[in-house]
Amino acid sequence: MSNFVSVTRDGGVAVVTIDNPPVNALSFHVREPLMQALVSLRNGPDVAAIVIACAGTFVAGADITEFGKPVRQPDLRAIIAVLETIAKPTVAAIHGTALGGGLELALGCHFRIADSQAKLGLPEVKLGLLPGGGGTVRLPRLVGPLKALGMIVSGTPIGAAEALAAGLIDAVFDGALTAQAVRFASEMAGKGGPFTPVRERDGRLDQAELPAFDRQAAELAQKARGLEAPIACAQSVRNAIALPFEEALAAERELFVKLVAGDQSRAQRHLFFAEREAAKVAGKDIVRRKIARVGVIGAGTMGGGIAMALANGGFSVTVLEATQEALQRGLAMIDKNYAVSVSRGSLSEEVKQQRLALFKGSIDYADLVDCDLIVEAVFEEMAIKKDVFGRLDAVAKPGAILATNTSYLDVNEIAASTSRPQGVVGMHFFSPANIMKLLEIVRAEKTAPDVLATIVELARRIGKVPVVVGVCHGFVGNRMLAARGTDSEALLLEGATPQQIDRVFSDFGWPMGPFQMGDLAGLDIGWRNRKARGETAMIADTLCEQGHFGQKTGRGFYLYENGSRTPAPNPEVEALIRDKAAEKGIARRSIGADEIIERAHYPMINEGAKILEEGIAARASDIDVVWVNGYGFPVGKGGPMFWAGLEGLDKIIGRLDHWHERTGKDVFKPAPLLRQMAETGAWEGVAS
Ligand code: T1G
């Protein structure tokens, strides 16, 4: 047989085992021997039943690295077609993760049994695709169209218990799964056929469900924000109800071929690998420090969210505040946040209690002496940070890691305020810290390699997407955010409106435009930062001087009547902009969407190039991971640096030169690396 597929016998049952570490992706070198095995077992006279099992985890899908290349036969559909011609019972033994093509392979079997900890799903939509191995046509036949629609459009795997209840699997076992599968298969063989392939099971496909299906599909489509895959997924599941099996299968293929060749899927596949690349820090063999107990200093919005993220990852957390009152307020907020999750059904009361049991509150630094990691989340002021780190340095045990959640300040300076700069690192969480995926891990000059490796591993353990960045003002994300916003005031003065700019951003795929985002976060935050840096923004400063900070004051760039969160145009802002433009002698004109896109996004990309030049980010793809996971850059565009490739570096440089000439602003002056990359057509020379 082959190294990747082996066949063993257990009585009359043949066990086909796939072994292609790390996740048993269905690469060509797996598919070919798998096909051979199935063909030979199909007519094997002494084979009563067949079990498909895997070493490690069940198949986690097609091999994503093969996409975009010519498909080598047999492809997955051909293998499943053979599987469905086998008259003797076939059983998939699922443990770990059965995802994408892996679940589709299992849907080609007559029966599926699973370990109680198994996860089953069709996450292709997260790669800008739809299940291309018959999943959209077979899954609805087992779980019903509405359940299938939810699973395929969300791409979120389900657990074994839910899969059993939904009719996706036939039994759940704890341990010795392959042996259980052999017993199950023998029993089925003993009962005798015929065994109905899933493709022939139409019982759950009720045309009468179409109206309800279309309503649900329409709701999901509204959330797609320009992504093609969710729409294609819904269409393909609908075909399973409305069309005969073969026609629906052919239609699925057509949609798959179109999507896999498209920019959106290329972008999302880029992000899949970029996230994994970003988590690779130099020195695979570095011994990580043991982290069991964590301390968090500050129980405000950020501190509370960070403490929850750590507890959700299974860590014991000591929350320290300056006063009892502040501590109680912080712990009450944590309790309330968990209660909200319970009320929404996304957390059980039992798990809530388990998590809360991991928290300990204190107002005494001495209670941090047994912590392996302490994360500081106090007010964003250098003097306060230094005071905290000085006190931490005095109490923390040798080898403890001291982390700061600063989003702008110089981590080298903070580290220098301790006697152990090698143990200091930045952990820049994004608000709400218990939800947002991104963690910018700031490597200071003296941060020890094992500290970095330990925090990257910890980040993955608490479900975060880690990206290691160097020290500069605003690190990668906030620094590029500033560049993106540099010209937004000029756009207003020259003729655009906040609504217009925000609409262009949401059409581009952003969850929200800069003015709505400013109102949501609070205009006073930017105002304080500008004042600290001696910078001004005429319109925003005027609003803040008038006490209009956005949603929290009911008025900002938009109006929020009666506490509503829905922004309404603010005529006073439009008048203010006109007055300021007149004051500055700026003739207002109509400004198009393209101009708005380029004057906001091109400086951002240019800043990204400078960040790469300075080594603040190791790879262009790291910048993409930061922006997609921390700032909502549209996944279908792959992140700012990937999108720059789609947009065309020559075009970007041409327009940057144009605006640099017109405005004289540095953000438009093309970075040398950008010109260099335009010659080579990609972010080469800098791993991407
Ligand atoms: N193809 C190729 N490589 C893969 C892979 C895949 N499907 N899945 C993982 N890898 C690599 C990954 O890049 C990394 O490599 C290593 O394996 C470990 O992964 C026809 C169209 C299974 C939950 O979307 O979600 O089937 O960085 O770090 O955290 O309909 O991997 O070490 O060099 O993520 O333990 C659908 C993708 C494919 C699932 C494990 N399947 N994988 O998580 O490990 S499309 C998916 C995952 C498809 C069919 C279609 C996760 C995991 P390296 P890891 P992990």
Side-chain angles (χ1 to χ4, degrees):
M1 192 53 11
S2 93
N3 301 341
F4 304 104
V5 177
S6 59
V7 179
T8 53
R9 300 296 299 272
D10 191 330
V13 179
V15 180
V16 178
T17 304
I18 297 170
D19 188 2
N20 181 31
V23 296
N24 287 317
L26 286 170
S27 320
F28 171 70
H29 58 252
V30 171
R31 296 196 308 271
E32 194 179 40
L34 178 59
M35 177 66 114
Q36 289 160 357
L38 293 175
V39 168
S40 78
L41 292 170
R42 174 170 57 186
N43 308 322
D46 55 346
V47 177
I50 300 170
V51 167
I52 297 184
C54 293
T57 169
F58 199 79
V59 174
D63 185 337
I64 306 168
T65 63
E66 291 183 353
F67 291 156
K69 300 173 188 147
V71 179
R72 299 180 66 188
Q73 291 302 331
D75 68 5
L76 176 58
R77 293 168 314 133
I79 291 171
I80 296 172
V82 164
L83 204 43
E84 287 195 321
T85 61
I86 296 176
K88 53 200 83 171
T90 52
V91 179
I94 298 170
H95 72 295
T97 51
L99 302 175
L103 183 56
E104 291 172 307
L105 180 69
L107 291 171
C109 296
H110 299 114
F111 304 101
R112 284 146 296 283
I113 71 162
D115 176 87
S116 61
Q117 301 312 305
K119 292 267 181 232
L120 304 89
L122 295 172
E124 286 85 344
V125 72
K126 296 181 180 168
L127 297 168
L129 298 168
L130 84 170
T136 67
V137 191
R138 290 189 179 85
L139 184 68
R141 282 172 157 73
L142 286 184
V143 303
L146 291 176
K147 179 77 179 172
L149 179 69
M151 284 181 67
I152 293 173
V153 173
S154 70
T156 309
I158 62 174
E162 187 179 345
L164 183 67
L168 175 51
I169 59 176
D170 303 280
V172 174
F173 295 97
D174 259 322
L177 188 70
T178 306
Q180 302 278 10
V182 168
R183 208 182 359 266
F184 185 95
S186 315
E187 261 168 43
M188 292 306 130
K191 285 192 185 142
F195 303 101
T196 315
V198 174
R199 60 181 293 146
E200 292 167 18
R201 302 182 200 178
D202 301 341
R204 301 204 66 176
L205 300 180
D206 182 354
Q207 300 265 343
E209 274 195 44
L210 275 174
F213 182 93
D214 291 339
R215 274 194 302 280
Q216 193 172 325
E219 273 167 39
L220 291 168
Q222 276 183 344
K223 297 185 192 137
R225 285 218 322 262
L227 291 175
E228 297 153 358
I231 314 292
C233 286
Q235 177 55 50
S236 199
V237 177
R238 190 181 199 287
N239 292 340
I241 314 167
L243 301 175
F245 182 85
E246 283 303 340
E247 279 180 47
L249 203 61
E252 180 196 81
R253 189 75 209 155
E254 219 178 294
L255 288 166
F256 181 83
V257 169
K258 183 165 157 284
L259 288 175
V260 80
D263 285 344
Q264 288 192 356
S265 180
R266 277 193 327 110
Q268 289 175 265
R269 294 185 329 246
H270 156 73
L271 289 168
F272 177 85
F273 292 111
E275 274 180 29
R276 282 147 186 85
E277 225 30 58
K280 291 181 182 152
V281 286
K284 259 216 181 74
D285 316 320
I286 291 180
V287 179
R288 273 77 172 155
R289 298 191 187 184
K290 197 172 98 18
I291 308 284
R293 185 159 204 95
V294 182
V296 175
I297 305 187
T301 311
M302 281 313 291
I306 293 169
M308 288 177 72
L310 291 160
N312 297 351
F315 291 97
S316 312
V317 185
T318 302
V319 178
L320 186 106
E321 255 296 354
T323 64
Q324 257 318 331
E325 194 221 336
L327 179 63
Q328 291 321 317
R329 205 173 38 242
L331 294 175
M333 182 187 62
I334 290 171
D335 190 300
K336 185 167 150 269
N337 287 342
Y338 280 126
V340 169
S341 303
V342 172
S343 66
R344 287 197 187 129
S346 58
L347 194 72
S348 70
E349 182 60 32
E350 188 203 348
V351 173
K352 174 191 167 201
Q353 294 311 328
Q354 284 166 0
R355 301 248 167 105
L356 287 175
L358 293 168
F359 288 89
K360 188 173 92 177
S362 170
I363 58 168
D364 184 352
Y365 270 76
D367 285 337
L368 298 173
V369 70
D370 58 353
C371 290
D372 308 297
L373 163 68
I374 303 161
V375 185
E376 159 277 314
V378 299
F379 197 68
E380 187 76 344
E381 214 167 281
M382 187 54 91
I384 299 175
K385 302 266 188 205
K386 283 183 169 176
D387 171 59
V388 168
F389 272 75
R391 300 175 71 174
L392 273 182
D393 195 22
V395 296
K397 65 181 179 185
I401 296 176
L402 309 182
T404 170
N405 178 54
T406 180
S407 34
Y408 281 92
L409 299 175
D410 184 341
V411 182
N412 291 323
E413 195 179 333
I414 294 173
S417 70
T418 74
S419 63
R420 51 173 104 190
Q422 70 287 354
V424 176
V425 67
M427 291 178 75
H428 180 208
F429 288 83
F430 287 74
S431 185
N434 54 317
I435 311 282
M436 291 297 284
K437 284 267 184 207
L438 179 68
L439 182 62
E440 268 186 326
I441 298 175
V442 187
R443 176 196 60 244
E445 272 154 24
K446 298 205 171 112
T447 303
D450 67 328
V451 168
L452 217 50
T454 302
I455 298 300
V456 167
E457 187 177 87
L458 175 131
R460 296 201 79 183
R461 225 179 108 187
I462 62 173
K464 299 297 180 194
V465 176
V467 178
V468 176
V469 299
V471 174
C472 68
H473 187 76
F475 314 128
V476 168
N478 286 341
R479 177 171 161 182
M480 289 170 70
L481 184 65
R484 189 189 80 174
T486 302
D487 217 35
S488 42
E489 179 131 304
L491 279 164
L492 291 179
L493 294 170
E494 292 170 32
T497 64
Q499 300 87 281
Q500 184 199 2
I501 294 175
D502 283 350
R503 197 169 40 253
V504 168
F505 268 65
S506 53
D507 292 348
F508 183 86
W510 293 96
M512 206 178 270
F515 297 102
Q516 229 182 309
M517 179 60 85
D519 275 2
L520 176 68
L523 301 175
D524 50 329
I525 297 174
W527 190 35
R528 248 202 322 276
N529 278 339
R530 283 192 297 279
K531 282 200 279 189
R533 292 173 59 85
E535 289 166 5
T536 60
M538 216 186 323
I539 310 290
D541 291 352
T542 308
L543 287 173
C544 290
E545 281 144 18
Q546 296 166 346
H548 303 320
F549 299 147
Q551 262 191 30
K552 58 184 166 190
T553 57
R555 188 178 278 266
F557 281 99
Y558 295 90
L559 294 176
Y560 303 88
E561 260 119 26
N562 314 322
S564 134
R565 287 164 176 248
T566 314
N570 182 348
E572 281 180 24
V573 166
E574 284 159 30
L576 173 65
I577 295 170
R578 275 195 304 276
D579 297 349
K580 294 292 179 190
E583 227 176 77
K584 296 196 78 162
I586 298 173
R588 305 191 76 224
R589 57 187 172 84
S590 94
I591 295 182
D594 290 352
E595 180 176 340
I596 291 170
I597 291 288
E598 65 186 49
R599 285 173 73 175
H601 294 75
Y602 290 5
M604 203 181 141
I605 292 160
N606 197 30
E607 200 64 28
K610 294 175 191 167
I611 283 171
L612 290 171
E613 283 169 353
E614 296 161 25
I616 301 292
R619 291 161 278 243
S621 59
D622 286 1
I623 296 177
D624 291 334
V625 173
V626 164
W627 271 85
V628 164
N629 290 286
Y631 298 81
F633 193 96
V635 288
K637 292 188 166 66
M641 310 315 267
F642 184 89
W643 178 70
L646 296 177
E647 188 73 353
L649 295 180
D650 288 331
K651 173 186 171 192
I652 293 172
I653 289 169
R655 297 307 294 163
L656 282 170
D657 281 332
H658 167 81
W659 289 113
H660 184 233
E661 225 165 276
R662 286 261 315 245
T663 66
K665 290 179 181 166
D666 272 352
V667 282
F668 290 117
K669 188 164 183 296
L673 183 68
L674 198 58
R675 293 193 190 280
Q676 186 191 325
M677 292 305 131
E679 280 141 34
T680 58
W683 298 104
E684 266 138 33
V686 176
S688 70

